[in-house]
Amino acid sequence: MSNIFDIFKRIEKENEQRANQPITHMIVGLGNPGAKYENTRHNAGFMAMDHIAARLGVTVNRAKFKALVGEATVGGKRVLLMKPQTLMNASGIAVSEAAAFYKIPVENIIVMSDDINLDVGRMRVRKSGSDGGQKGLRSIINMMGSDAFPRIRFGVGKKPHPDYDLADWVLGNFSEDDKNKLCALFAPAYDGIEKILAGDVDGAMQICNKAQI
């Protein structure tokens, strides 16, 4: 029968083995750095990343690849968590640098972003596709030379009227109610990420695309 010291040694060994696993996947939350952007619609991806990191018991605070990064094991996969610090429209610079360093194929990069075409309280998973007007996604597609990466898009709602400036809208703050609706999506989004990492994008769609707050 194992004593407590044997158990601790086994746990320590397992932790070392996990830490020594090569990083094979990336999860990227898009946003703009700086306190003035913290509660803005364009930072939905950053907010989702903060939730995921907290759930995994890690921090995304190490400066590397023009981003803040952390590492975690999710579903047996060693994953780099990333919040690009390049400003939204240049997000691809950070993503491509990290992908090249770790030799991560584009299909192993999961990107989380805001989406003005979805109502607040809704999200969508897509296996690949166009940027849909989201300039952070556009930058990643351009820098990686491919749109074949899965993404989770969080609804932040349409502009109040056609003449409203788009930049003012996405850089505007969430209302408290809308912020609560967004944050309620992060738990099912995490479940969706686990499915994607397991190679089951359709399963992630079943979880995330049906979620409505």
Side-chain angles (χ1 to χ4, degrees):
M1 183 175 180
S2 299
N3 61 38
I4 189 67
F5 298 107
D6 291 333
I7 293 172
F8 284 150
K9 286 180 181 177
R10 187 176 72 250
I11 292 172
E12 183 178 3
K13 184 177 181 180
E14 289 173 352
N15 288 339
E16 288 177 356
Q17 289 174 340
R18 280 194 292 269
N20 290 330
Q21 281 182 303
I23 290 174
T24 58
H25 292 71
M26 291 171 58
I27 303 172
V28 182
L30 299 186
N32 286 306
K36 68 178 181 179
Y37 296 114
E38 282 182 359
N39 193 43
T40 61
R41 297 177 182 89
H42 231 13
N43 272 35
F46 273 12
M47 295 163 71
M49 178 57 72
D50 289 341
H51 171 91
I52 289 168
R55 182 161 174 173
L56 292 169
V58 300
T59 53
V60 182
N61 62 359
R62 182 161 53 95
K64 195 173 184 179
F65 309 119
K66 301 181 180 64
L68 296 178
V69 300
E71 297 176 15
T73 300
V74 187
K77 305 288 196 310
R78 194 68 182 163
V79 177
L80 184 75
L81 308 177
M82 172 181 282
K83 294 166 66 174
Q85 300 294 291
T86 55
L87 292 178
M88 176 67 79
N89 296 0
S91 298
I93 296 172
V95 172
S96 61
E97 283 189 14
F101 182 84
Y102 291 111
K103 298 180 173 58
I104 298 174
V106 67
E107 61 270 18
N108 285 7
I109 301 171
I110 303 169
V111 180
M112 302 182 295
S113 73
D114 61 295
D115 191 326
I116 62 169
N117 298 307
L118 291 173
D119 293 335
V120 179
R122 302 298 302 269
M123 62 177 164
R124 287 285 183 274
V125 169
R126 291 289 181 268
K127 187 175 183 178
S128 61
S130 71
D131 57 63
Q134 216 285 353
K135 292 183 179 179
L137 291 177
R138 182 177 303 168
S139 175
I140 295 171
I141 291 169
N142 289 340
M143 292 298 297
M144 294 298 297
S146 173
D147 65 4
F149 55 87
R151 71 287 306 264
I152 302 177
R153 299 177 295 139
F154 296 98
V156 298
K158 295 180 175 63
K159 297 187 300 181
H161 53 79
D163 294 334
Y164 201 102
D165 183 76
L166 180 58
D168 288 343
W169 176 246
V170 296
L171 296 178
N173 289 335
F174 283 106
S175 68
E176 195 62 29
D177 183 54
D178 282 353
K179 182 179 179 181
N180 290 337
K181 287 181 179 178
L182 171 69
C183 291
L185 293 173
F186 296 157
Y190 179 88
D191 295 337
I193 285 170
E194 288 190 317
K195 290 286 187 182
I196 295 172
L197 290 172
D200 185 8
V201 178
D202 289 340
M205 291 179 182
Q206 288 292 317
I207 293 170
C208 296
N209 294 6
K210 291 182 177 180
Q212 182 172 356
I213 309 301

